[in-house]
Structure formats: C-alpha cells, structure tokens
Amino acid sequence: MRQFLTDTSIARIIIAALILGIVISGYSCNGDDPPKPPQPIGLEAVNGEFYRGNMGGTLLDKPLEFGVKNYSGDYEPDRWIHFSLLEGDGTLSADSLKSGNSGLVTLEYNFSGSLGHAAIRAIARNIDTVEVYLRADVLIPGVGGQGQYVRLDDTYQDILDFNGTPVSHDIFDGIPIVVVNYEATKGVVFVVDDADTNGVLEPSSEVLSIIVVDSIFLQPDSTTYSARYEGTTIDGLGIGSHWWNDFVPVYGFPNFVHTDNSDPELPTLKVIYEDLNMTLWSRQSDSTIYQIDLTDPL
C-alpha cells in the first residue's frame, strides 16, 4: 500500500538538506585548508643567454644557472633539469641536475676542444626549454673562423650581444661596410656588411671581417687607445708573435708577403694566408705582428 509523505516529513527533509549544505559550504571555505602549491610557469637561464669564457677552461663571465620559476616568482626546489650540447666540442659537467633549496642548479662547460663556441639546451620536462650561447676568446682562422668572441658567420646583433655598445660606428661614403669599432677599449674591430650604403646596420647585417690589433702600439701618443688584444689561437699565437718564427711552423709558408712602406714611421710586412683567409701585419724590423685580419671569403 502506497505511503505518502506528510507535510511534517517533507519539512524535516528540507531542513536536513539545508543543514548539510551549510556544513559542506563551511568545510570548503575553512581557512585551515593547505593552499595549493604555485604552479611552474617556465624554465629560466638566470644570467641571460650569452656567456664569455676562455679556451681550455670552465670559468665564464657569469655562472650558468638555471631554475624553474612559478607564478609566485620563486624558483622551485626538487626540479630536474636536463642538458644537451647543440654546438661545440667541449664537455658539460652534467647531463642533468636537480635543484636544491635555492631552486637553482649550476652547470659548467669546459672549452676543452678546438672550437671557441657552444650552444647548450636546457629542458625541464613537460614545462619549458631554453638555449644559451657561449663563446671563448680565441683566434681561429679559416672558413667559419672566429676572432675574439665573434664568428665570421655572425651578425651585428651577435657583436652587440657579446661586446655591448661599441666605441663608434665608422662609415665610409659609397663603401658598403660599417666598421663596428672597439679598438680603443678592446683592441678589436668588426667590418659589417652595409649593402645599401646608408650607414645603418640591421640586427641581421653580416660580419665580413674581424680585425684584432695592438692599439697601444698603433696609437702611442693617445690617452684613449689603451687596449691590446690578448687572445690567441689554440697554439698560443697572436698579437706580439713573430710571423716567421711562430706562424710558419704551425701554418706553413704564407701565399704572399708584401712590403708596405706607405707609412715611413711604420715599415710593414703584409703576410697573407689565402687558404686561411688570414692576413698578418708585422713590423719589418723584427717581424712582430701588431694586427691580424680574419675575413669571410667572398
């Protein structure tokens, strides 16, 4: 026999439902509940994308630090970061590192090979990927060569990334180049393509030549030209070496040796290695090199 709810029973059910709703609502809003942890937003190379070092060592101008950052702006502990070498023939100190209490890991790269450049990829799996670029201060003649931190297949933007603001941009009317000049402070200048001869370089403008010098020797009376380029080849040759005693035993005989007496105060020998796209400028008196040009073959 069907039994129908009385008005009193219905009222009791409604009251019980209201009480249950209040209890559930109060529980979900309890201030004692543990907050949800901040979610990771990305992997960060803490000190930027570009780093400078020296051949045969691990010391860089700033540490190679990485961390996974969350929405609170903190680096997260206990995060694995994995590394791979995209370019370069040196060695990484680890292929993966786990962050500690600081939330950061520190990687090292050893320029232990013959290449003065490297690119490293860092991965926080399922979160983010970043890449960083390293250069050693070195002279590497030949195709794809390098002078100082810049390679012959680099761009104007690469020059700025590794060297900062130049002392000057030297422009020559009607000639499709701009000389990006750090001679006074670093002993190096870069010749950059300016095809439209307007004197304005784009970030993608190509490096044509790298010239390293002893600006102190060339400008002996100047108070501002105070730099001598100190980088060398992997064999230790550079400014101050002798072309005959030092370069010939390593690179063989040059293709040409020209006498240049256009400056009577500086009689010069111009020593050209065509196959290496390298020109050495030396004093006639003792064959000491005061300038080295590395040029991208046209």
mmCIF file with all atom_site columns, all heavy atoms in Angstrom, residues 200-224:
data_model
loop_
_atom_site.group_PDB
_atom_site.id
_atom_site.type_symbol
_atom_site.label_atom_id
_atom_site.label_alt_id
_atom_site.label_comp_id
_atom_site.label_asym_id
_atom_site.label_entity_id
_atom_site.label_seq_id
_atom_site.pdbx_PDB_ins_code
_atom_site.Cartn_x
_atom_site.Cartn_y
_atom_site.Cartn_z
_atom_site.occupancy
_atom_site.B_iso_or_equiv
_atom_site.pdbx_formal_charge
_atom_site.auth_seq_id
_atom_site.auth_comp_id
_atom_site.auth_asym_id
_atom_site.auth_atom_id
_atom_site.pdbx_PDB_model_num
ATOM 1   N N   . VAL A 1 200 ? 73.408  52.484 -41.797 1.00 0.00 ? 200 VAL A N   1
ATOM 2   C CA  . VAL A 1 200 ? 72.549  51.969 -40.737 1.00 0.00 ? 200 VAL A CA  1
ATOM 3   C C   . VAL A 1 200 ? 72.596  50.442 -40.778 1.00 0.00 ? 200 VAL A C   1
ATOM 4   O O   . VAL A 1 200 ? 72.273  49.832 -41.802 1.00 0.00 ? 200 VAL A O   1
ATOM 5   C CB  . VAL A 1 200 ? 71.101  52.457 -40.901 1.00 0.00 ? 200 VAL A CB  1
ATOM 6   C CG1 . VAL A 1 200 ? 70.214  51.853 -39.811 1.00 0.00 ? 200 VAL A CG1 1
ATOM 7   C CG2 . VAL A 1 200 ? 71.044  53.979 -40.866 1.00 0.00 ? 200 VAL A CG2 1
ATOM 8   N N   . LEU A 1 201 ? 72.991  49.838 -39.678 1.00 0.00 ? 201 LEU A N   1
ATOM 9   C CA  . LEU A 1 201 ? 73.086  48.383 -39.610 1.00 0.00 ? 201 LEU A CA  1
ATOM 10  C C   . LEU A 1 201 ? 71.808  47.778 -39.045 1.00 0.00 ? 201 LEU A C   1
ATOM 11  O O   . LEU A 1 201 ? 71.243  48.293 -38.081 1.00 0.00 ? 201 LEU A O   1
ATOM 12  C CB  . LEU A 1 201 ? 74.276  47.969 -38.744 1.00 0.00 ? 201 LEU A CB  1
ATOM 13  C CG  . LEU A 1 201 ? 75.667  48.341 -39.274 1.00 0.00 ? 201 LEU A CG  1
ATOM 14  C CD1 . LEU A 1 201 ? 76.731  47.927 -38.284 1.00 0.00 ? 201 LEU A CD1 1
ATOM 15  C CD2 . LEU A 1 201 ? 75.918  47.712 -40.640 1.00 0.00 ? 201 LEU A CD2 1
ATOM 16  N N   . GLU A 1 202 ? 71.379  46.687 -39.653 1.00 0.00 ? 202 GLU A N   1
ATOM 17  C CA  . GLU A 1 202 ? 70.268  45.909 -39.126 1.00 0.00 ? 202 GLU A CA  1
ATOM 18  C C   . GLU A 1 202 ? 70.821  44.838 -38.191 1.00 0.00 ? 202 GLU A C   1
ATOM 19  O O   . GLU A 1 202 ? 71.984  44.444 -38.308 1.00 0.00 ? 202 GLU A O   1
ATOM 20  C CB  . GLU A 1 202 ? 69.492  45.249 -40.269 1.00 0.00 ? 202 GLU A CB  1
ATOM 21  C CG  . GLU A 1 202 ? 68.922  46.214 -41.277 1.00 0.00 ? 202 GLU A CG  1
ATOM 22  C CD  . GLU A 1 202 ? 67.885  47.141 -40.673 1.00 0.00 ? 202 GLU A CD  1
ATOM 23  O OE1 . GLU A 1 202 ? 67.215  46.709 -39.703 1.00 0.00 ? 202 GLU A OE1 1
ATOM 24  O OE2 . GLU A 1 202 ? 67.740  48.274 -41.157 1.00 0.00 ? 202 GLU A OE2 1
ATOM 25  N N   . PRO A 1 203 ? 70.007  44.324 -37.275 1.00 0.00 ? 203 PRO A N   1
ATOM 26  C CA  . PRO A 1 203 ? 70.490  43.245 -36.407 1.00 0.00 ? 203 PRO A CA  1
ATOM 27  C C   . PRO A 1 203 ? 71.033  42.052 -37.190 1.00 0.00 ? 203 PRO A C   1
ATOM 28  O O   . PRO A 1 203 ? 71.954  41.368 -36.736 1.00 0.00 ? 203 PRO A O   1
ATOM 29  C CB  . PRO A 1 203 ? 69.258  42.863 -35.588 1.00 0.00 ? 203 PRO A CB  1
ATOM 30  C CG  . PRO A 1 203 ? 68.441  44.116 -35.550 1.00 0.00 ? 203 PRO A CG  1
ATOM 31  C CD  . PRO A 1 203 ? 68.649  44.765 -36.890 1.00 0.00 ? 203 PRO A CD  1
ATOM 32  N N   . SER A 1 204 ? 70.480  41.812 -38.388 1.00 0.00 ? 204 SER A N   1
ATOM 33  C CA  . SER A 1 204 ? 70.886  40.655 -39.192 1.00 0.00 ? 204 SER A CA  1
ATOM 34  C C   . SER A 1 204 ? 72.041  40.955 -40.147 1.00 0.00 ? 204 SER A C   1
ATOM 35  O O   . SER A 1 204 ? 72.448  40.068 -40.904 1.00 0.00 ? 204 SER A O   1
ATOM 36  C CB  . SER A 1 204 ? 69.691  40.151 -40.007 1.00 0.00 ? 204 SER A CB  1
ATOM 37  O OG  . SER A 1 204 ? 69.195  41.176 -40.854 1.00 0.00 ? 204 SER A OG  1
ATOM 38  N N   . SER A 1 205 ? 72.583  42.170 -40.142 1.00 0.00 ? 205 SER A N   1
ATOM 39  C CA  . SER A 1 205 ? 73.706  42.505 -41.023 1.00 0.00 ? 205 SER A CA  1
ATOM 40  C C   . SER A 1 205 ? 74.891  41.589 -40.725 1.00 0.00 ? 205 SER A C   1
ATOM 41  O O   . SER A 1 205 ? 75.237  41.353 -39.568 1.00 0.00 ? 205 SER A O   1
ATOM 42  C CB  . SER A 1 205 ? 74.110  43.974 -40.834 1.00 0.00 ? 205 SER A CB  1
ATOM 43  O OG  . SER A 1 205 ? 73.054  44.844 -41.196 1.00 0.00 ? 205 SER A OG  1
ATOM 44  N N   . GLU A 1 206 ? 75.542  41.099 -41.781 1.00 0.00 ? 206 GLU A N   1
ATOM 45  C CA  . GLU A 1 206 ? 76.538  40.047 -41.632 1.00 0.00 ? 206 GLU A CA  1
ATOM 46  C C   . GLU A 1 206 ? 77.938  40.586 -41.340 1.00 0.00 ? 206 GLU A C   1
ATOM 47  O O   . GLU A 1 206 ? 78.350  41.621 -41.874 1.00 0.00 ? 206 GLU A O   1
ATOM 48  C CB  . GLU A 1 206 ? 76.579  39.195 -42.908 1.00 0.00 ? 206 GLU A CB  1
ATOM 49  C CG  . GLU A 1 206 ? 75.273  38.469 -43.192 1.00 0.00 ? 206 GLU A CG  1
ATOM 50  C CD  . GLU A 1 206 ? 75.336  37.671 -44.480 1.00 0.00 ? 206 GLU A CD  1
ATOM 51  O OE1 . GLU A 1 206 ? 76.377  37.747 -45.167 1.00 0.00 ? 206 GLU A OE1 1
ATOM 52  O OE2 . GLU A 1 206 ? 74.362  36.966 -44.782 1.00 0.00 ? 206 GLU A OE2 1
ATOM 53  N N   . VAL A 1 207 ? 78.658  39.847 -40.508 1.00 0.00 ? 207 VAL A N   1
ATOM 54  C CA  . VAL A 1 207 ? 80.059  40.153 -40.224 1.00 0.00 ? 207 VAL A CA  1
ATOM 55  C C   . VAL A 1 207 ? 80.909  39.698 -41.400 1.00 0.00 ? 207 VAL A C   1
ATOM 56  O O   . VAL A 1 207 ? 80.844  38.546 -41.823 1.00 0.00 ? 207 VAL A O   1
ATOM 57  C CB  . VAL A 1 207 ? 80.524  39.456 -38.933 1.00 0.00 ? 207 VAL A CB  1
ATOM 58  C CG1 . VAL A 1 207 ? 82.020  39.673 -38.711 1.00 0.00 ? 207 VAL A CG1 1
ATOM 59  C CG2 . VAL A 1 207 ? 79.731  39.957 -37.739 1.00 0.00 ? 207 VAL A CG2 1
ATOM 60  N N   . LEU A 1 208 ? 81.730  40.622 -41.943 1.00 0.00 ? 208 LEU A N   1
ATOM 61  C CA  . LEU A 1 208 ? 82.594  40.311 -43.073 1.00 0.00 ? 208 LEU A CA  1
ATOM 62  C C   . LEU A 1 208 ? 84.035  40.065 -42.646 1.00 0.00 ? 208 LEU A C   1
ATOM 63  O O   . LEU A 1 208 ? 84.723  39.224 -43.238 1.00 0.00 ? 208 LEU A O   1
ATOM 64  C CB  . LEU A 1 208 ? 82.555  41.449 -44.102 1.00 0.00 ? 208 LEU A CB  1
ATOM 65  C CG  . LEU A 1 208 ? 81.193  41.810 -44.678 1.00 0.00 ? 208 LEU A CG  1
ATOM 66  C CD1 . LEU A 1 208 ? 81.326  42.992 -45.633 1.00 0.00 ? 208 LEU A CD1 1
ATOM 67  C CD2 . LEU A 1 208 ? 80.569  40.612 -45.386 1.00 0.00 ? 208 LEU A CD2 1
ATOM 68  N N   . SER A 1 209 ? 84.517  40.817 -41.682 1.00 0.00 ? 209 SER A N   1
ATOM 69  C CA  . SER A 1 209 ? 85.899  40.685 -41.223 1.00 0.00 ? 209 SER A CA  1
ATOM 70  C C   . SER A 1 209 ? 85.987  40.980 -39.733 1.00 0.00 ? 209 SER A C   1
ATOM 71  O O   . SER A 1 209 ? 85.191  41.759 -39.185 1.00 0.00 ? 209 SER A O   1
ATOM 72  C CB  . SER A 1 209 ? 86.830  41.653 -41.967 1.00 0.00 ? 209 SER A CB  1
ATOM 73  O OG  . SER A 1 209 ? 86.885  41.367 -43.334 1.00 0.00 ? 209 SER A OG  1
ATOM 74  N N   . ILE A 1 210 ? 86.978  40.354 -39.113 1.00 0.00 ? 210 ILE A N   1
ATOM 75  C CA  . ILE A 1 210 ? 87.306  40.609 -37.708 1.00 0.00 ? 210 ILE A CA  1
ATOM 76  C C   . ILE A 1 210 ? 88.771  41.002 -37.671 1.00 0.00 ? 210 ILE A C   1
ATOM 77  O O   . ILE A 1 210 ? 89.632  40.287 -38.203 1.00 0.00 ? 210 ILE A O   1
ATOM 78  C CB  . ILE A 1 210 ? 87.059  39.364 -36.847 1.00 0.00 ? 210 ILE A CB  1
ATOM 79  C CG1 . ILE A 1 210 ? 85.595  38.910 -36.962 1.00 0.00 ? 210 ILE A CG1 1
ATOM 80  C CG2 . ILE A 1 210 ? 87.433  39.636 -35.392 1.00 0.00 ? 210 ILE A CG2 1
ATOM 81  C CD1 . ILE A 1 210 ? 85.359  37.504 -36.439 1.00 0.00 ? 210 ILE A CD1 1
ATOM 82  N N   . ILE A 1 211 ? 89.082  42.140 -37.068 1.00 0.00 ? 211 ILE A N   1
ATOM 83  C CA  . ILE A 1 211 ? 90.450  42.661 -37.034 1.00 0.00 ? 211 ILE A CA  1
ATOM 84  C C   . ILE A 1 211 ? 90.836  42.889 -35.577 1.00 0.00 ? 211 ILE A C   1
ATOM 85  O O   . ILE A 1 211 ? 90.153  43.601 -34.851 1.00 0.00 ? 211 ILE A O   1
ATOM 86  C CB  . ILE A 1 211 ? 90.562  43.981 -37.821 1.00 0.00 ? 211 ILE A CB  1
ATOM 87  C CG1 . ILE A 1 211 ? 90.136  43.753 -39.283 1.00 0.00 ? 211 ILE A CG1 1
ATOM 88  C CG2 . ILE A 1 211 ? 91.973  44.534 -37.750 1.00 0.00 ? 211 ILE A CG2 1
ATOM 89  C CD1 . ILE A 1 211 ? 89.997  45.031 -40.080 1.00 0.00 ? 211 ILE A CD1 1
ATOM 90  N N   . VAL A 1 212 ? 91.936  42.254 -35.169 1.00 0.00 ? 212 VAL A N   1
ATOM 91  C CA  . VAL A 1 212 ? 92.440  42.452 -33.812 1.00 0.00 ? 212 VAL A CA  1
ATOM 92  C C   . VAL A 1 212 ? 93.778  43.171 -33.897 1.00 0.00 ? 212 VAL A C   1
ATOM 93  O O   . VAL A 1 212 ? 94.577  42.922 -34.803 1.00 0.00 ? 212 VAL A O   1
ATOM 94  C CB  . VAL A 1 212 ? 92.566  41.119 -33.047 1.00 0.00 ? 212 VAL A CB  1
ATOM 95  C CG1 . VAL A 1 212 ? 91.208  40.461 -32.911 1.00 0.00 ? 212 VAL A CG1 1
ATOM 96  C CG2 . VAL A 1 212 ? 93.540  40.160 -33.732 1.00 0.00 ? 212 VAL A CG2 1
ATOM 97  N N   . VAL A 1 213 ? 94.025  44.081 -32.947 1.00 0.00 ? 213 VAL A N   1
ATOM 98  C CA  . VAL A 1 213 ? 95.189  44.960 -33.049 1.00 0.00 ? 213 VAL A CA  1
ATOM 99  C C   . VAL A 1 213 ? 95.805  45.227 -31.677 1.00 0.00 ? 213 VAL A C   1
ATOM 100 O O   . VAL A 1 213 ? 95.194  44.987 -30.633 1.00 0.00 ? 213 VAL A O   1
ATOM 101 C CB  . VAL A 1 213 ? 94.818  46.315 -33.696 1.00 0.00 ? 213 VAL A CB  1
ATOM 102 C CG1 . VAL A 1 213 ? 94.238  46.130 -35.087 1.00 0.00 ? 213 VAL A CG1 1
ATOM 103 C CG2 . VAL A 1 213 ? 93.839  47.081 -32.816 1.00 0.00 ? 213 VAL A CG2 1
ATOM 104 N N   . ASP A 1 214 ? 97.009  45.768 -31.741 1.00 0.00 ? 214 ASP A N   1
ATOM 105 C CA  . ASP A 1 214 ? 97.649  46.379 -30.571 1.00 0.00 ? 214 ASP A CA  1
ATOM 106 C C   . ASP A 1 214 ? 97.460  47.886 -30.718 1.00 0.00 ? 214 ASP A C   1
ATOM 107 O O   . ASP A 1 214 ? 98.260  48.575 -31.344 1.00 0.00 ? 214 ASP A O   1
ATOM 108 C CB  . ASP A 1 214 ? 99.134  46.017 -30.538 1.00 0.00 ? 214 ASP A CB  1
ATOM 109 C CG  . ASP A 1 214 ? 99.846  46.570 -29.309 1.00 0.00 ? 214 ASP A CG  1
ATOM 110 O OD1 . ASP A 1 214 ? 99.235  47.382 -28.590 1.00 0.00 ? 214 ASP A OD1 1
ATOM 111 O OD2 . ASP A 1 214 ? 101.007 46.196 -29.088 1.00 0.00 ? 214 ASP A OD2 1
ATOM 112 N N   . SER A 1 215 ? 96.372  48.400 -30.153 1.00 0.00 ? 215 SER A N   1
ATOM 113 C CA  . SER A 1 215 ? 96.059  49.815 -30.340 1.00 0.00 ? 215 SER A CA  1
ATOM 114 C C   . SER A 1 215 ? 97.046  50.716 -29.591 1.00 0.00 ? 215 SER A C   1
ATOM 115 O O   . SER A 1 215 ? 97.245  51.869 -29.966 1.00 0.00 ? 215 SER A O   1
ATOM 116 C CB  . SER A 1 215 ? 94.627  50.119 -29.885 1.00 0.00 ? 215 SER A CB  1
ATOM 117 O OG  . SER A 1 215 ? 94.503  50.046 -28.484 1.00 0.00 ? 215 SER A OG  1
ATOM 118 N N   . ILE A 1 216 ? 97.676  50.195 -28.552 1.00 0.00 ? 216 ILE A N   1
ATOM 119 C CA  . ILE A 1 216 ? 98.666  50.983 -27.824 1.00 0.00 ? 216 ILE A CA  1
ATOM 120 C C   . ILE A 1 216 ? 99.885  51.236 -28.716 1.00 0.00 ? 216 ILE A C   1
ATOM 121 O O   . ILE A 1 216 ? 100.428 52.341 -28.770 1.00 0.00 ? 216 ILE A O   1
ATOM 122 C CB  . ILE A 1 216 ? 99.078  50.261 -26.534 1.00 0.00 ? 216 ILE A CB  1
ATOM 123 C CG1 . ILE A 1 216 ? 97.855  50.026 -25.644 1.00 0.00 ? 216 ILE A CG1 1
ATOM 124 C CG2 . ILE A 1 216 ? 100.129 51.053 -25.775 1.00 0.00 ? 216 ILE A CG2 1
ATOM 125 C CD1 . ILE A 1 216 ? 98.132  49.154 -24.445 1.00 0.00 ? 216 ILE A CD1 1
ATOM 126 N N   . PHE A 1 217 ? 100.287 50.204 -29.458 1.00 0.00 ? 217 PHE A N   1
ATOM 127 C CA  . PHE A 1 217 ? 101.426 50.347 -30.357 1.00 0.00 ? 217 PHE A CA  1
ATOM 128 C C   . PHE A 1 217 ? 101.086 51.279 -31.526 1.00 0.00 ? 217 PHE A C   1
ATOM 129 O O   . PHE A 1 217 ? 101.892 52.116 -31.931 1.00 0.00 ? 217 PHE A O   1
ATOM 130 C CB  . PHE A 1 217 ? 101.835 48.970 -30.885 1.00 0.00 ? 217 PHE A CB  1
ATOM 131 C CG  . PHE A 1 217 ? 102.811 49.002 -32.023 1.00 0.00 ? 217 PHE A CG  1
ATOM 132 C CD1 . PHE A 1 217 ? 104.134 49.378 -31.811 1.00 0.00 ? 217 PHE A CD1 1
ATOM 133 C CD2 . PHE A 1 217 ? 102.415 48.677 -33.313 1.00 0.00 ? 217 PHE A CD2 1
ATOM 134 C CE1 . PHE A 1 217 ? 105.037 49.413 -32.867 1.00 0.00 ? 217 PHE A CE1 1
ATOM 135 C CE2 . PHE A 1 217 ? 103.305 48.714 -34.365 1.00 0.00 ? 217 PHE A CE2 1
ATOM 136 C CZ  . PHE A 1 217 ? 104.631 49.084 -34.140 1.00 0.00 ? 217 PHE A CZ  1
ATOM 137 N N   . LEU A 1 218 ? 99.861  51.144 -32.061 1.00 0.00 ? 218 LEU A N   1
ATOM 138 C CA  . LEU A 1 218 ? 99.471  51.942 -33.216 1.00 0.00 ? 218 LEU A CA  1
ATOM 139 C C   . LEU A 1 218 ? 99.177  53.390 -32.856 1.00 0.00 ? 218 LEU A C   1
ATOM 140 O O   . LEU A 1 218 ? 99.276  54.278 -33.700 1.00 0.00 ? 218 LEU A O   1
ATOM 141 C CB  . LEU A 1 218 ? 98.252  51.315 -33.889 1.00 0.00 ? 218 LEU A CB  1
ATOM 142 C CG  . LEU A 1 218 ? 98.499  49.968 -34.576 1.00 0.00 ? 218 LEU A CG  1
ATOM 143 C CD1 . LEU A 1 218 ? 97.197  49.384 -35.092 1.00 0.00 ? 218 LEU A CD1 1
ATOM 144 C CD2 . LEU A 1 218 ? 99.497  50.125 -35.728 1.00 0.00 ? 218 LEU A CD2 1
ATOM 145 N N   . GLN A 1 219 ? 98.783  53.634 -31.618 1.00 0.00 ? 219 GLN A N   1
ATOM 146 C CA  . GLN A 1 219 ? 98.439  54.997 -31.175 1.00 0.00 ? 219 GLN A CA  1
ATOM 147 C C   . GLN A 1 219 ? 99.257  55.335 -29.930 1.00 0.00 ? 219 GLN A C   1
ATOM 148 O O   . GLN A 1 219 ? 98.713  55.517 -28.834 1.00 0.00 ? 219 GLN A O   1
ATOM 149 C CB  . GLN A 1 219 ? 96.935  55.083 -30.869 1.00 0.00 ? 219 GLN A CB  1
ATOM 150 C CG  . GLN A 1 219 ? 96.023  54.622 -31.979 1.00 0.00 ? 219 GLN A CG  1
ATOM 151 C CD  . GLN A 1 219 ? 95.894  55.651 -33.075 1.00 0.00 ? 219 GLN A CD  1
ATOM 152 O OE1 . GLN A 1 219 ? 96.250  56.804 -32.904 1.00 0.00 ? 219 GLN A OE1 1
ATOM 153 N NE2 . GLN A 1 219 ? 95.371  55.231 -34.223 1.00 0.00 ? 219 GLN A NE2 1
ATOM 154 N N   . PRO A 1 220 ? 100.570 55.420 -30.059 1.00 0.00 ? 220 PRO A N   1
ATOM 155 C CA  . PRO A 1 220 ? 101.422 55.570 -28.857 1.00 0.00 ? 220 PRO A CA  1
ATOM 156 C C   . PRO A 1 220 ? 101.210 56.874 -28.096 1.00 0.00 ? 220 PRO A C   1
ATOM 157 O O   . PRO A 1 220 ? 101.496 56.935 -26.897 1.00 0.00 ? 220 PRO A O   1
ATOM 158 C CB  . PRO A 1 220 ? 102.846 55.492 -29.425 1.00 0.00 ? 220 PRO A CB  1
ATOM 159 C CG  . PRO A 1 220 ? 102.698 55.908 -30.860 1.00 0.00 ? 220 PRO A CG  1
ATOM 160 C CD  . PRO A 1 220 ? 101.356 55.404 -31.292 1.00 0.00 ? 220 PRO A CD  1
ATOM 161 N N   . ASP A 1 221 ? 100.722 57.897 -28.758 1.00 0.00 ? 221 ASP A N   1
ATOM 162 C CA  . ASP A 1 221 ? 100.546 59.193 -28.097 1.00 0.00 ? 221 ASP A CA  1
ATOM 163 C C   . ASP A 1 221 ? 99.123  59.412 -27.590 1.00 0.00 ? 221 ASP A C   1
ATOM 164 O O   . ASP A 1 221 ? 98.812  60.482 -27.065 1.00 0.00 ? 221 ASP A O   1
ATOM 165 C CB  . ASP A 1 221 ? 100.920 60.328 -29.056 1.00 0.00 ? 221 ASP A CB  1
ATOM 166 C CG  . ASP A 1 221 ? 102.374 60.251 -29.510 1.00 0.00 ? 221 ASP A CG  1
ATOM 167 O OD1 . ASP A 1 221 ? 103.214 59.853 -28.680 1.00 0.00 ? 221 ASP A OD1 1
ATOM 168 O OD2 . ASP A 1 221 ? 102.646 60.565 -30.687 1.00 0.00 ? 221 ASP A OD2 1
ATOM 169 N N   . SER A 1 222 ? 98.269  58.413 -27.761 1.00 0.00 ? 222 SER A N   1
ATOM 170 C CA  . SER A 1 222 ? 96.868  58.578 -27.384 1.00 0.00 ? 222 SER A CA  1
ATOM 171 C C   . SER A 1 222 ? 96.646  58.206 -25.926 1.00 0.00 ? 222 SER A C   1
ATOM 172 O O   . SER A 1 222 ? 97.277  57.289 -25.394 1.00 0.00 ? 222 SER A O   1
ATOM 173 C CB  . SER A 1 222 ? 95.980  57.699 -28.270 1.00 0.00 ? 222 SER A CB  1
ATOM 174 O OG  . SER A 1 222 ? 94.642  57.731 -27.831 1.00 0.00 ? 222 SER A OG  1
ATOM 175 N N   . THR A 1 223 ? 95.750  58.929 -25.278 1.00 0.00 ? 223 THR A N   1
ATOM 176 C CA  . THR A 1 223 ? 95.372  58.595 -23.904 1.00 0.00 ? 223 THR A CA  1
ATOM 177 C C   . THR A 1 223 ? 94.120  57.729 -23.859 1.00 0.00 ? 223 THR A C   1
ATOM 178 O O   . THR A 1 223 ? 93.745  57.239 -22.797 1.00 0.00 ? 223 THR A O   1
ATOM 179 C CB  . THR A 1 223 ? 95.113  59.878 -23.103 1.00 0.00 ? 223 THR A CB  1
ATOM 180 O OG1 . THR A 1 223 ? 94.075  60.640 -23.737 1.00 0.00 ? 223 THR A OG1 1
ATOM 181 C CG2 . THR A 1 223 ? 96.382  60.711 -23.000 1.00 0.00 ? 223 THR A CG2 1
ATOM 182 N N   . THR A 1 224 ? 93.466  57.556 -25.016 1.00 0.00 ? 224 THR A N   1
ATOM 183 C CA  . THR A 1 224 ? 92.232  56.765 -25.053 1.00 0.00 ? 224 THR A CA  1
ATOM 184 C C   . THR A 1 224 ? 92.438  55.386 -25.663 1.00 0.00 ? 224 THR A C   1
ATOM 185 O O   . THR A 1 224 ? 91.715  54.455 -25.345 1.00 0.00 ? 224 THR A O   1
ATOM 186 C CB  . THR A 1 224 ? 91.138  57.503 -25.845 1.00 0.00 ? 224 THR A CB  1
ATOM 187 O OG1 . THR A 1 224 ? 91.617  57.776 -27.167 1.00 0.00 ? 224 THR A OG1 1
ATOM 188 C CG2 . THR A 1 224 ? 90.774  58.805 -25.159 1.00 0.00 ? 224 THR A CG2 1
#
